[in-house]
Amino acid sequence: IAETGKKILSFIETEKESEIEADMQVLINIINQYKNNWDNEHFVASNHQIVIDIKRTARKHMNSYLKKVTADLEKKEYLIPKSKVVGTLANFQKKFQYYRLSLYIFSMASFVEIMLSGNFKEKFIEESISEIEKLSLEYRSVFGECSHYLEKIASCTLEGNVLKGIGH
């Protein structure tokens, strides 16, 4: 049962990662096609809705990865084997890879949304920039917290504490 549960969770995570990668590819395709279709109302309208959906999904993914990383940071562990530190690092790297990609997709979708909507009002653009900057700061803050967490648990490894004890 445990093995089946792991397979299901792995499948779900792979699906989520594939969705993030596909959203990126769709945005790139829309941008590439825009130069030849900027005056086609149907193209602009249908792709505008797709971009809004991608932006919403990217935000959902960012929130999901933020919650997962935050939950990992709240774990209280005192004696940790070195292999667990390495595993935690790999776990954080994978989560941040897709968190960062989701943030990039959100930012790119915000730009494409401005382009497709034709709303070039300064206030609208400034609001988009402000939102992206806020999300970027949040990402950097959590990334910094994870770096400190990794340093902390690395200094508390079981192997390191045994060697310290032998040295005294």
Side-chain angles (χ1 to χ4, degrees):
I1 294 175
E3 184 66 30
T4 303
K6 286 180 183 178
K7 285 181 181 178
I8 290 170
L9 289 175
S10 175
F11 175 76
I12 291 170
E13 193 61 33
T14 301
E15 284 293 308
K16 184 177 182 179
E17 292 166 1
S18 297
E19 181 181 15
I20 292 169
E21 292 165 358
D23 284 348
M24 184 72 213
Q25 292 165 346
V26 169
L27 280 174
I28 290 169
N29 287 338
I30 290 171
I31 291 169
N32 288 334
Q33 294 172 6
Y34 180 77
K35 63 184 171 198
N36 298 320
N37 294 290
W38 62 270
D39 58 346
N40 180 330
E41 288 181 34
H42 178 69
F43 172 86
V44 171
S46 63
N47 282 297
H48 183 242
Q49 187 57 50
I50 291 169
V51 168
I52 290 171
D53 291 342
I54 288 173
K55 189 175 168 183
R56 180 193 53 78
T57 302
R59 183 182 291 278
K60 179 180 94 173
H61 290 305
M62 285 186 296
N63 291 342
S64 172
Y65 284 111
L66 177 62
K67 287 179 182 179
K68 287 178 181 181
V69 168
T70 303
D72 287 346
L73 289 173
E74 292 173 355
K75 292 178 184 173
K76 302 288 184 206
E77 299 177 273
Y78 300 103
L79 289 178
I80 305 157
K82 188 176 181 180
S83 62
K84 176 133 180 162
V85 174
V86 173
T88 302
L89 173 62
N91 182 27
F92 278 147
Q93 286 176 325
K94 185 160 184 134
K95 287 176 184 170
F96 275 105
Q97 174 186 357
Y98 284 97
Y99 185 177
R100 184 175 50 252
L101 185 56
S102 296
L103 176 56
Y104 181 75
I105 289 168
F106 181 87
S107 302
M108 185 181 228
S110 295
F111 165 72
V112 175
E113 179 185 16
I114 292 168
M115 192 171 69
L116 292 174
S117 71
N119 185 353
F120 301 109
K121 293 179 183 169
E122 187 175 349
K123 183 172 172 88
F124 182 65
I125 294 170
E126 285 175 355
E127 287 172 355
S128 292
I129 291 169
S130 176
E131 186 174 25
I132 292 166
E133 287 174 342
K134 178 182 159 245
L135 293 169
S136 295
L137 285 172
E138 182 178 55
Y139 171 87
R140 280 185 287 229
S141 174
V142 173
F143 188 87
E145 287 178 41
C146 286
S147 294
H148 289 108
Y149 177 79
L150 286 168
E151 289 173 9
K152 181 179 154 191
I153 66 170
S155 69
C156 296
T157 62
L158 187 58
E159 292 86 347
N161 285 326
V162 168
L163 290 175
K164 285 179 193 173
I166 292 173
H168 290 303

